[in-house]
């Protein structure tokens, strides 16, 4: 799946990085907790979040993520978009909830980041 495919699937609005819409995305991760993003995400993953602050772009940059989707119609500030553009990221917004955004992308074939756990550790 490409970033452009996601725009169509989600009826999203591209806020910056339209020149990168041909780039592939292999997995997705949805969270408003940037500590979880840091713990579980790898490159070539799209980040789906409703959190609109500079930490989102900083976290994405640390992990070399190139695409952020803000759900629930959230609109980042011009400063956030400027930072994302300087880092070569695609940023888009969709009116869908996080749940629906993930569901639509899953239905279209995109899968989540695999998280392996030891069952004994979970108890």
């Amino acid at each position: 799946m490409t970033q452009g495919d996601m725009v169509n699937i989600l009826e999203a609005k591209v806020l910056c990085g339209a020149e990168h819409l041909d780039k592939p995305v292999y997995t997705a991760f949805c969270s408003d907790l940037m500590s979880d993003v840091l713990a579980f995400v790898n490159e070539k993953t799209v980040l789906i979040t409703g959190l609109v602050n500079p930490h989102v772009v900083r976290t994405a940059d640390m992990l070399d993520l190139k695409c952020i989707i803000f759900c629930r119609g959230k609109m980042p500030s011009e400063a956030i978009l400027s930072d994302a553009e300087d880092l070569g990221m695609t940023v888009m917004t969709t009116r869908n909830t996080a749940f629906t955004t993930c569901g639509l992308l899953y239905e279209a074939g995109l899968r989540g980041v695999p998280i392996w756990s030891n069952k004994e550790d979970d108890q």
Side-chain angles (χ1 to χ4, degrees):
M1 176 177 300
T2 66
Q3 294 177 16
D5 293 332
M6 292 188 305
V7 172
N8 294 328
I9 292 163
L10 301 173
E11 298 179 6
K13 178 180 179 183
V14 178
L15 304 175
C16 73
E19 66 273 18
H20 305 295
L21 294 180
D22 62 332
K23 302 285 186 197
V25 176
Y26 298 104
T27 54
F29 192 82
C30 180
S31 183
D32 289 345
L33 295 172
M34 293 303 106
S35 58
D36 280 357
V37 177
L38 288 168
F40 298 115
V41 174
N42 55 29
E43 62 182 85
K44 302 263 195 265
T45 296
V46 59
L47 174 58
I48 302 164
T49 187
L51 183 66
V52 182
N53 70 40
H55 299 295
V56 174
V57 172
R58 288 188 197 117
T59 301
D61 181 42
M62 288 175 65
L63 296 169
D64 200 29
L65 305 183
K66 298 299 182 188
C67 185
I68 301 169
I69 300 173
F70 291 106
C71 55
R72 300 188 304 274
K74 298 285 186 104
M75 292 295 289
S77 68
E78 287 301 320
I80 291 171
L81 290 175
S82 177
D83 289 346
E85 189 141 25
D86 290 346
L87 294 166
M89 294 179 188
T90 303
V91 177
M92 58 184 87
T93 186
T94 179
R95 296 182 58 89
N96 297 307
T97 65
F99 181 83
T100 300
T101 298
C102 294
L104 290 169
L105 294 174
Y106 188 89
E107 184 177 55
L110 190 63
R111 296 300 179 249
V113 172
I115 298 175
W116 303 99
S117 69
N118 182 338
K119 291 291 183 191
E120 293 176 3
D121 292 341
D122 292 343
Q123 296 178 5

